[in-house]
Amino acid sequence: MATTKIGIIISTTREGRFGDRPTQWLFDLATTRGGAVFEVVDLRDYPLPFFNEPASPAYVPPENAIARSFGSKIAEFDGYIFITAEYNHGIPAVLKNALDHVYSQFTRKPIAFIGYGGVGAARAVEQLRLVAIELQAAPLRNAVHIGLAEFIGLLQQGKAFSDYPYLEQSANLMLDDLIWWTRALKKAREENLVDSSKAA
């Protein structure tokens, strides 16, 4: 089986965003422990317009060149981690818009989540799980929620992630789960391709 690749998607683009810090923390943790190859995907690198395609990407590829480029990048991965804030109890609009430009790239692949903010972005993560199901992806149970106390400590009080060791424990549980599902679903997808080629 080929190398397992997992994309870490930064789900906000605003100036001064906090998301870079948990992204770097997770990337360092994940690459140290191994088990897969990890790559950060920044939505800033894909300035997508508001969705205005003639049809859903579930049926036809998007016409927009940036959307096609984003879709090609997303298709490279076998699993995903969304690093997300929560805006007005919901998903950041730029992330939802990005997800509206793709479909099959996520199908039958697992997705895990790190949320940060007032309630650890728990409501945004739950909404993302619903969107993931519609994309025919497999959203996972284990997640990391950086709550208000930790968020304020990291943002305003000079704290580091090492000051909150339970966050690393949660991250390791999440990564264990994600890597297991990534390998299992990758193998199943590859077996399905072999079966399909034999049937042809």
Side-chain angles (χ1 to χ4, degrees):
M1 187 164 58
T3 301
T4 299
K5 296 183 65 177
I6 294 176
I8 302 173
I9 301 173
I10 310 180
S11 304
T12 63
T13 57
R14 69 178 184 82
E15 185 177 352
R17 67 186 179 187
F18 175 76
D20 294 305
R21 292 191 62 184
T23 299
Q24 189 62 55
W25 167 72
L26 179 71
F27 181 80
D28 292 343
L29 179 65
T31 53
T32 299
R33 54 170 281 154
V37 173
F38 294 84
E39 180 180 338
V40 174
V41 178
D42 192 339
L43 293 184
R44 284 178 176 172
D45 297 330
Y46 301 92
L48 292 158
F50 284 122
F51 183 79
N52 192 31
E53 294 290 329
S56 166
Y59 305 110
V60 294
E63 295 179 353
N64 181 271
I66 298 174
R68 291 198 301 270
S69 177
F70 177 67
S72 295
K73 172 53 67 175
I74 292 300
E76 294 177 9
F77 301 107
D78 305 300
Y80 308 89
I81 303 168
F82 290 144
I83 312 286
T84 187
E86 181 172 300
Y87 292 170
N88 295 319
H89 290 200
I91 303 168
V94 68
L95 173 59
K96 179 58 168 66
N97 186 57
L99 294 176
D100 288 341
H101 282 88
V102 291
Y103 189 87
S104 61
Q105 295 90 340
F106 283 104
T107 298
R108 295 176 179 170
K109 298 178 183 179
I111 301 175
F113 309 91
I114 292 184
Y116 57 87
V119 291
R123 292 164 295 215
V125 168
E126 285 304 294
Q127 291 176 23
L128 282 169
R129 287 189 172 110
L130 294 174
V131 174
I133 290 168
E134 180 56 27
L135 295 174
Q136 299 190 59
L140 304 186
R141 174 188 180 276
N142 288 321
V144 179
H145 295 281
I146 302 168
L148 184 61
E150 298 86 357
F151 179 71
I152 295 292
L154 291 162
L155 190 63
Q156 298 180 357
Q157 298 171 352
K159 300 286 188 179
F161 278 95
S162 58
D163 293 310
Y164 308 104
Y166 49 87
L167 292 178
E168 182 172 333
Q169 293 171 0
S170 294
N172 279 318
L173 285 173
M174 179 194 72
L175 288 167
D176 286 343
D177 198 28
L178 177 62
I179 290 171
W180 190 94
W181 278 103
T182 299
R183 290 174 174 171
L185 291 177
K186 180 180 175 67
K187 181 179 180 181
R189 291 194 310 275
E190 290 173 348
E191 289 175 350
N192 185 64
L193 284 174
V194 170
D195 292 341
S196 298
S197 64
K198 289 179 178 178

